Amino acid sequence: MTIALVTGCLTPVTLKEVQQDAVFRKMQSNAITEDVMSPHTAQVLRVYNLTTEFATDPEKTMRDLRERACAEPDRYLLFSMAELSYLVARGHENKSDVDALGYFISSARFAYAFLFDDNLGTPPNQYDPRFRLGCELYNHSLARALRLLEDISTAEESDGSVRIDTWDGPLRVRVEMYGFPDEHPSFADLLLSADYEVEGINNHYRSYGLGIPMIGLFERDPNNPNQPSRASYPATALLRFDRLACVNYDQPLDATLELYDPLHVDQVDIDGTRSPLESDVTTPLAYALSDPNLRTDAFLGFLRAERADNRTGLYMIDPYESDKIPVVLTHGLVSSPLTWADMLNDLRGDPVLRERYQFWLFQYPTGYPFIYSASVFRAALDDARKRYDPKGDSVAFNNMVLIGHSMGGLLSK
């Protein structure tokens, strides 16, 4: 008698000891850190038998998942759709800016729905790594979309909104601004803070949350003698979607690109959820202080004072606010406002201090006699009084603080 043992297609289950922290590192891999999908999203594709399809036809996979997400609303399925959209967008970046933009917008939208859509049941667990990655997918996708929008021509609607075509339907985006001071001038341009690395300032003041920190470049105002030549201001961009997970894809989806002043607004309400805003107040300051003239004026103003005379003046880092006490920083001999870079950044980076004080800089050529420079300083302060407090009854202006270093102390005295 012959007995045959048939094992079929059994796969043995084993445990293998691995290097310390290897499992943790594998669990932390994702579309943002390593351009690979997270283990959570890979598992979703396996569950729906879409792993091979995504490798060969990612666009079809996205549509299949969208149908599933709408048939049986699943918050964590939308997380995976956000991550997969991000990966598809990254694959399009060197091929088609338009396609990449559409997928980055979709990634931001699915991440936004994952985080905030009340129709999906219980809010996400904030201790779940998918929650943290969902926030990062939203931020990174929005940042890359904003970069692409600089190079892509978009159609402007009659109401001033911009139309963007994405793989899962058209999107209409309008821009609104919140929290900026009344004296805030218009932005001539917006730059992503993440595209710049600060050197020459020791501390970097950031806060973490949703949104993209920006550097807003002011339009030059020839009638404002207190505006620096490289006037810049922090802003945070947030893309708010009016409708979320499952919509009529034949109809345009409306969204608002909201610009917030992070010096005055640190949280926003999104469908009843208070969310902190991401901010960066150091990089815009560094942009203003990176004016090449500030580096040369220290020596030029000492050796050839008349050649630096045209840059003498009282300059405001931020637009004037009548309820804040002015603090005027005056540099010393063979120097320029750059001497205050670290101190100014630390003072302005403290939310309690910047709520009560505004910071001004007085720049002057140090080659002139300090008695003469003091008279110019006094005239500049008088002009500021006439411009911003003509009645002389501002409590904040009357409590002005002068801080001088070296020769600047003599001028202030």
Side-chain angles (χ1 to χ4, degrees):
M1 177 183 294
T2 301
I3 299 177
L5 298 178
V6 180
T7 60
C9 297
L10 296 179
T11 301
V13 175
T14 62
L15 280 180
K16 180 178 68 172
E17 188 172 354
V18 296
Q19 186 178 1
Q20 186 177 7
D21 294 333
V23 172
F24 178 78
R25 288 195 299 270
K26 183 177 180 180
M27 290 297 294
Q28 296 302 308
S29 62
N30 58 64
I32 292 174
T33 59
E34 299 183 32
D35 274 336
V36 298
M37 69 183 73
S38 66
H40 310 286
T41 296
Q43 180 168 304
V44 167
L45 292 183
R46 288 195 299 272
V47 167
Y48 292 116
N49 196 27
L50 293 172
T51 303
T52 301
E53 181 182 274
F54 182 74
T56 57
D57 193 348
E59 285 83 357
K60 184 177 185 304
T61 305
M62 294 303 301
R63 287 175 170 78
D64 290 342
L65 287 173
R66 185 177 68 186
E67 290 181 9
R68 292 179 183 275
C70 291
E72 298 179 10
D74 181 341
R75 185 180 299 277
Y76 289 94
L77 179 54
L78 286 174
F79 160 81
S80 293
M81 293 177 68
E83 187 174 23
L84 292 173
S85 293
Y86 184 87
L87 286 171
V88 176
R90 293 280 285 144
H92 280 296
E93 276 187 309
N94 294 325
K95 303 172 186 175
S96 169
D97 286 350
V98 173
D99 290 337
L101 173 63
Y103 274 99
F104 280 130
I105 291 290
S106 293
S107 177
R109 178 179 153 226
F110 291 134
Y112 186 95
F114 161 71
L115 294 168
F116 301 110
D117 193 342
D118 287 339
N119 296 319
L120 299 174
T122 305
N125 175 6
Q126 296 189 14
Y127 294 97
D128 190 315
R130 286 172 290 187
F131 177 85
R132 298 192 294 273
L133 181 53
C135 296
E136 291 300 311
L137 284 168
Y138 174 86
N139 285 352
H140 281 255
S141 296
L142 178 54
R144 289 182 179 274
L146 291 175
R147 286 193 192 96
L148 290 169
L149 277 171
E150 295 178 358
D151 301 320
I152 295 176
S153 59
T154 53
E156 186 170 333
E157 305 281 305
S158 58
D159 62 355
S161 61
V162 171
R163 180 186 172 105
I164 302 172
D165 290 318
T166 76
W167 71 272
D168 59 337
L171 183 76
R172 282 191 310 224
V173 182
R174 64 185 186 278
V175 178
E176 295 182 0
M177 299 179 67
Y178 297 95
F180 294 93
D182 292 338
E183 298 292 330
H184 191 280
S186 300
F187 285 138
D189 199 2
L190 285 165
L191 309 173
L192 270 71
S193 294
D195 289 345
Y196 297 87
E197 183 178 2
V198 176
E199 295 180 350
I201 294 179
N202 288 322
N203 299 323
H204 204 127
Y205 291 95
R206 300 183 177 97
S207 64
Y208 298 95
L210 278 193
I212 306 303
M214 310 286 287
I215 306 170
L217 306 185
F218 288 149
E219 290 183 352
R220 183 63 185 158
D221 182 0
N223 298 316
N224 183 0
N226 307 119
Q227 185 183 66
S229 59
R230 287 174 66 92
S232 59
Y233 195 82
T236 296
L238 182 85
L239 188 60
R240 186 188 296 266
F241 296 92
D242 290 357
R243 292 176 292 148
L244 298 178
C246 298
V247 299
N248 182 350
Y249 294 99
D250 294 328
Q251 298 297 320
L253 175 68
D254 291 321
T256 307
L257 183 64
E258 299 174 346
L259 293 178
Y260 289 92
D261 178 355
L263 297 181
H264 295 86
V265 181
D266 60 4
Q267 293 186 39
V268 293
D269 185 278
I270 301 178
D271 294 334
T273 299
R274 296 297 294 173
S275 177
L277 281 175
E278 188 126 338
S279 70
D280 176 354
V281 300
T282 295
T283 304
L285 175 63
Y287 187 93
L289 295 178
S290 64
D291 182 352
N293 288 325
L294 293 178
R295 295 193 294 272
T296 60
D297 281 353
F299 294 98
L300 184 65
F302 177 69
L303 299 173
R304 299 290 299 274
E306 71 282 357
R307 294 181 60 181
D309 207 20
N310 64 329
R311 288 187 287 279
T312 298
L314 184 66
Y315 297 109
M316 298 180 180
I317 294 300
D318 303 319
Y320 178 75
E321 294 187 71
S322 60
D323 60 339
K324 292 186 178 182
I325 298 172
V327 177
V328 187
L329 307 175
T330 306
H331 62 82
L333 187 69
V334 198
S335 189
S336 80
L338 281 180
T339 194
W340 299 108
D342 271 318
M343 179 176 172
L344 179 58
N345 178 54
D346 288 339
L347 292 173
R348 190 165 169 265
D350 186 313
V352 176
L353 290 177
R354 69 171 179 250
E355 185 177 351
R356 294 196 60 193
Y357 299 95
Q358 55 190 314
F359 302 99
W360 302 355
L361 298 166
F362 181 65
Q363 180 177 357
Y364 65 101
T366 60
Y368 287 136
F370 78 87
I371 293 294
Y372 168 74
S373 295
S375 69
V376 175
F377 187 17
R378 187 162 47 249
L381 292 173
D382 287 340
D383 289 343
R385 166 78 82 176
K386 294 173 185 175
R387 181 180 179 88
Y388 301 106
D389 182 30
K391 295 182 180 179
D393 57 0
S394 168
V395 175
F397 203 107
N398 288 333
N399 282 298
M400 178 185 292
V401 178
L402 304 185
I403 300 177
H405 173 252
S406 185
M407 182 183 282
L410 296 176
L411 268 65
S412 300
K413 184 178 180 180

